[in-house]
Amino acid sequence: MNRLKSILFSFLVLAAWGCNTIIIKPWNGPHAIKSSDKIRVFLGKAESDLMVKSDGVIFVYDVNDLLIKRAYDHVSLDIRKLKAPIRFVADNPGLEYKGRKVRGEILLQPDKSGSFLVINRIPLEEYLFAVVPSEVPAGWPLEALKAQAICSRTYAVREILNKRNADYDVEATVNSQAYAGMDKENPKTTQAVRDTEGVLAIYDEDPIHMFFHSNSGGKTETPDQVWGGKRLPYLESVSSKFDEAGDNFVWKDILSQERMDSNLSSLGVGSVQSIQVLSRTPSGRVDLLEVIGKQGTSKIKGKEFRNLLGASVKSLRFGIKRDHEGFLIKGMGSGHGVGLSQWGSFGMAKQNYTYAEILRHYYQGIEFARITR
């Protein structure tokens, strides 16, 4: 009987909350990674002097893994004298580069431009210790933190699989996902990572495109409306009423005539007189606008308009009109609106939804699997 239980456990991990059962199967697909695999995080480029710090001994190895230097507290070097990759390892966890303290090791790797890429190579789960609290507040409910941990892990694994021939897998900025290093780590978010260790969201055995954003403003968007391409069955637009609990659920800003003229000068319409929304996506986001100026008119896609205006347009779920102070913009939500709404996740967790219920709401038809090898 005990052997039977062991066999069953090796195939399915069941976690129950009330009437809800979460089935987590092993993930052993042909493209699966090993649980011991590390992620490569791009920290920046070094073109001259470089300093790496630690609270203990730093070991420097060459491309053949031969120890070439041992130092205490810091290593300073002129990278222009380097001809091949080197790596830094600390005897105590934590290497610091440009004020960011990271786990794992730091690699210096030459690139085609003659500079060196600074790359943090770190076990995936330890990477998540810093990512989750960099993405959402550590004081959020545990189920929301678990949902974010699975989002961030799935995103990272997909990048690892897609970037095998690239110099690195992810960046340490929101171009990938936020990664502030060890100083951002928190016991609550570390617990969320450990409680979901190795768990991914998959569809047809593959890690999904795990897009997430701050606040959908009440309704999420489909990725094809934002980046083009084909529709994804697990990323349909869904209502997200719990966004009301969060920052930027509603917002407004007033842009002066001078700023509007400056930011939209590339359109060649002269001084902007009015802006009209011509069409919206099914989720209510701006698809196409017409900018009318003294010297002409121009039609512009909503996402291009947002890029030109910057942080004042927090999402494409907005309206705009001219008033006596300039141009009044009122909107809902923050971010591209695709996938999980982080503030929606917070609101659901406050209402006692589990991480699985949260994720299945934003990503339809997904399954959960754990990295097992």
Side-chain angles (χ1 to χ4, degrees):
M1 186 67 176
N2 288 335
R3 183 181 177 187
L4 177 59
K5 288 182 178 179
S6 176
I7 293 173
L8 289 173
F9 183 79
S10 68
F11 283 92
L12 294 176
V13 178
L14 302 180
W17 286 265
C19 296
N20 298 306
T21 299
I22 302 172
I23 300 176
I24 304 175
K25 61 183 184 180
W27 187 55
N28 282 315
H31 305 295
I33 68 171
K34 298 177 182 178
S35 58
S36 59
D37 279 0
K38 297 180 179 180
I39 189 168
R40 301 166 300 164
V41 187
F42 176 61
L43 301 181
K45 281 191 176 184
E47 297 179 347
S48 55
D49 294 336
L50 175 140
M51 181 179 291
V52 174
K53 301 178 181 179
S54 178
D55 293 330
V57 179
I58 303 174
F59 303 92
V60 186
Y61 295 90
D62 69 8
V63 69
N64 297 311
D65 277 341
L66 296 176
L67 181 65
I68 59 175
K69 186 178 181 65
R70 179 188 288 110
Y72 189 78
D73 282 340
H74 73 277
V75 174
S76 181
L77 53 87
D78 183 349
I79 65 100
R80 290 170 293 191
K81 297 179 180 179
L82 291 178
K83 304 300 181 184
I86 61 173
R87 65 188 179 94
F88 302 86
V89 181
D91 64 344
N92 290 323
L95 287 166
E96 182 180 329
Y97 170 71
K98 287 190 174 180
R100 191 196 312 261
K101 189 175 182 181
V102 297
R103 295 175 181 269
E105 58 189 17
I106 289 179
L107 312 179
L108 281 185
Q109 183 171 305
D111 72 353
K112 296 177 182 178
S113 69
S115 59
F116 271 71
L117 306 179
V118 184
I119 298 170
N120 177 205
R121 190 164 67 183
I122 177 175
L124 176 60
E125 298 299 311
E126 293 183 20
Y127 163 72
L128 296 174
F129 290 165
V131 167
V132 176
S134 299
E135 281 288 346
V136 295
W140 278 15
L142 184 58
E143 293 302 304
L145 301 181
K146 290 179 183 178
Q148 183 63 51
I150 294 173
C151 282
S152 292
R153 183 183 295 107
T154 305
Y155 175 87
V157 167
R158 191 174 181 92
E159 291 299 285
I160 291 171
L161 294 173
N162 290 337
K163 303 288 181 61
R164 289 198 183 278
N165 297 320
D167 291 323
Y168 52 85
D169 304 309
V170 294
E171 298 182 34
T173 70
V174 293
N175 287 339
S176 296
Q177 50 187 350
Y179 175 63
M182 290 179 66
D183 291 339
K184 192 69 174 179
E185 292 180 16
N186 183 280
K188 276 197 67 178
T189 46
T190 297
Q191 178 187 346
V193 173
R194 287 179 170 154
D195 286 351
T196 62
E197 183 175 356
V199 177
L200 307 172
I202 64 171
Y203 189 90
D204 284 345
E205 301 303 319
D206 287 327
I208 69 171
H209 290 274
M210 207 85 188
F211 302 116
F212 51 87
H213 59 281
S214 178
N215 192 314
S216 77
K219 195 172 185 64
T220 66
E221 183 59 278
T222 57
D224 57 296
Q225 295 288 351
V226 180
W227 302 292
K230 63 181 182 180
R231 296 283 286 267
L232 296 172
Y234 51 83
L235 274 174
E236 292 298 326
S237 177
V238 298
S239 64
S240 185
K241 63 180 181 179
F242 292 105
D243 285 337
E244 296 179 14
D247 293 344
N248 293 327
F249 178 69
V250 294
W251 50 269
K252 68 177 180 178
D253 202 352
I254 297 176
L255 302 184
S256 67
Q257 182 72 53
E258 293 74 21
R259 182 177 172 189
M260 190 66 78
D261 291 346
S262 174
N263 285 37
L264 300 183
S265 61
S266 61
L267 300 181
V269 300
S271 182
V272 178
Q273 300 302 293
S274 68
I275 298 174
Q276 304 293 329
V277 175
L278 299 181
S279 64
R280 294 182 179 272
T281 70
S283 74
R285 288 168 171 81
V286 173
D287 174 51
L288 188 67
L289 306 101
E290 184 174 46
V291 181
I292 302 169
K294 286 187 175 180
Q295 298 175 14
T297 65
S298 178
K299 292 180 180 179
I300 180 175
K301 296 292 286 186
K303 57 186 177 182
E304 184 183 351
F305 180 81
R306 187 181 175 211
N307 288 337
L308 291 175
L309 269 295
S312 293
V313 184
K314 294 176 172 53
S315 83
L316 288 178
R317 210 167 186 212
F318 72 88
I320 185 169
K321 68 175 183 178
R322 185 164 188 165
D323 70 3
H324 62 283
E325 297 182 68
F327 292 84
L328 173 65
I329 302 178
K330 297 178 69 175
M332 302 176 71
S334 179
H336 52 63
V338 180
L340 176 129
S341 164
Q342 290 168 323
W343 275 107
S345 174
F346 168 84
M348 291 182 73
K350 291 286 282 186
Q351 295 296 319
N352 298 318
Y353 287 88
T354 68
Y355 76 80
E357 291 172 312
I358 293 169
L359 293 175
R360 284 171 176 156
H361 175 71
Y362 290 104
Y363 310 95
Q364 304 86 49
I366 62 168
E367 298 178 283
F368 297 104
R370 177 173 278 118
I371 300 171
T372 58
R373 65 179 186 183

